[in-house]
Amino acid sequence: MSPINISIVGVGKIVRDQHLPSIAKNADYKLIAAASRHGVVDGIDNFKSIEEMLAAVPAIDAVSLCMPPQFRYAAARTALEAGKHVFLEKPPGATLSEVADLQSLADSRGLSLFASWHSRYAPGVEAAKAFLASAKINDVKVIWKEDVRHWHPNQDWIWAAGGLGVFDPGINALSIVTHILPNPVFITSATLEFPENRDAPIAASINFTDANKLPVSAEFDWRQTGHQSWDIVAETEAGLMVLAEGGAKLSIDGKLVHDEPEQEYP
Ligand code: NAP
């Protein structure tokens, strides 16, 4: 089978760190074009806008949208209306209803709309899900604390409305939690902290529960220096489960049971 001709829109940090090396190693895909106002990818055709790119390169099968979430909806509509399959970086949009609208547009055209959650592909996630399916869970705590100055330098969009603030990393935790817990969870209370000059939160404390009244809490904080915490801890009747390092390492009662190299994007 010939490879899928893919293009990228929004050439920034995640494209350079993950998308380019992952696509280069996968023979099922061929990167043939990119669109970005400033960023360029060496060795392929580059354009300033998605419209220009789609008009100039009809061979594109699929478009990977890697710009900030506030600008994803318009680009996704443009790509779907041009008959292209679409990959959405996480979070898939700035609001739920715009993503639902894209879903119905993709369905009506028979196109794929892949709303990706890379953290769900972290190495320990499936083993954690299997463990939690086999054990009575008493309590779940999510601790997602990182240094915004280190991970998001010069990203003004992340502090603007729709940029999600500390939920930009926090949503990675929630994408895992909603995948590994046996029942859907819903929020019962939350406290969000906003810097005075910003439109998005720098920290959040959230409580959730599920149909069986399982207590689930999450602490997101962007002011963490030193050790960075990306942990999901579940107290169960079969032992204490710790899914650490963003889903990379799984231990039960202090014993490491799953530790594989990270391969989320591939
Ligand atoms: P980024 O470095 O700021 O890059 C995004 C690129 O999008 C920018 O370089 C910019 O390139 C382009 N862009 C298009 N319209 C824009 C606009 N109106 N304002 C600002 N930039 C615009 O951000 P990123 O870290 O790659 O993150 C992009 C998306 O990937 C986010 O949704 C983020 O949550 C997700 N993500 C990031 C990471 C990570 O570790 N960084 C991990 C997983 C997922 P031009 O100026 O050339 O147009």
Side-chain angles (χ1 to χ4, degrees):
M1 212 178 82
S2 55
I4 293 170
N5 284 331
I6 196 163
S7 60
I8 285 179
V9 185
V11 177
K13 184 173 189 309
I14 196 59
V15 166
R16 294 199 177 87
D17 288 357
Q18 295 285 355
H19 289 251
L20 296 180
S22 300
I23 294 170
K25 282 190 210 133
N26 190 334
D28 291 339
Y29 296 90
K30 187 173 179 212
L31 183 65
I32 63 166
S36 211
R37 298 163 313 169
H38 309 95
V40 290
V41 178
D42 292 340
I44 58 169
D45 289 334
N46 287 274
F47 302 88
K48 293 288 177 207
S49 72
I50 183 171
E51 290 83 1
E52 223 182 301
M53 178 182 79
L54 292 174
V57 192
I60 292 170
D61 299 312
V63 182
S64 180
L65 299 178
C66 301
M67 71 283 283
Q70 298 100 319
F71 313 103
R72 208 144 19 239
Y73 174 79
R77 265 209 94 86
T78 301
L80 291 168
E81 281 170 351
K84 310 301 179 186
H85 302 285
V86 169
F87 171 101
L88 304 170
E89 249 299 352
K90 55 73 31 178
T95 69
L96 285 175
S97 48
E98 67 186 31
V99 180
D101 188 40
L102 294 176
Q103 192 175 1
S104 61
L105 178 60
D107 283 348
S108 73
R109 306 267 170 133
L111 296 166
S112 298
L113 181 71
F114 176 19
S116 67
W117 295 107
H118 64 87
S119 290
R120 284 188 176 169
Y121 300 92
V125 168
E126 289 309 318
K129 184 180 172 85
F131 174 75
L132 292 177
S134 69
K136 176 162 185 329
I137 313 167
N138 295 324
D139 175 87
V140 177
K141 289 189 171 55
V142 178
I143 305 107
W144 226 254
K145 297 184 177 182
E146 62 177 46
D147 183 352
V148 67
R149 291 185 178 86
H150 178 80
W151 298 104
H152 303 281
N154 308 316
Q155 291 189 337
D156 284 336
W157 61 264
I158 217 162
W159 294 105
L164 303 192
V166 77
F167 285 86
D168 177 84
I171 209 166
N172 295 334
L174 299 180
S175 75
I176 297 176
V177 167
T178 51
H179 184 67
I180 64 178
L181 288 183
N183 296 313
V185 291
F186 37 89
I187 293 177
T188 53
S189 66
T191 306
L192 275 55
E193 286 182 61
F194 288 72
E196 275 188 9
N197 57 344
R198 300 293 195 176
D199 292 331
I202 195 166
S205 296
I206 315 159
N207 292 305
F208 306 81
T209 194
D210 72 356
N212 299 327
K213 299 196 167 50
L214 175 70
V216 179
S217 65
E219 293 294 329
F220 299 159
D221 203 320
W222 251 350
R223 296 165 297 197
Q224 178 100 337
T225 53
H227 176 71
Q228 307 284 286
S229 307
W230 297 291
D231 302 330
I232 297 169
V233 180
E235 272 181 43
T236 80
E237 294 190 356
L240 184 73
M241 184 203 87
V242 180
L243 184 59
E245 296 182 20
K249 290 191 174 160
L250 179 69
S251 52
I252 312 289
D253 283 336
K255 184 168 172 269
L256 193 60
V257 295
H258 206 91
D259 179 18
E260 280 175 21
E262 191 269 291
Q263 285 280 315
E264 293 174 19
Y265 274 80

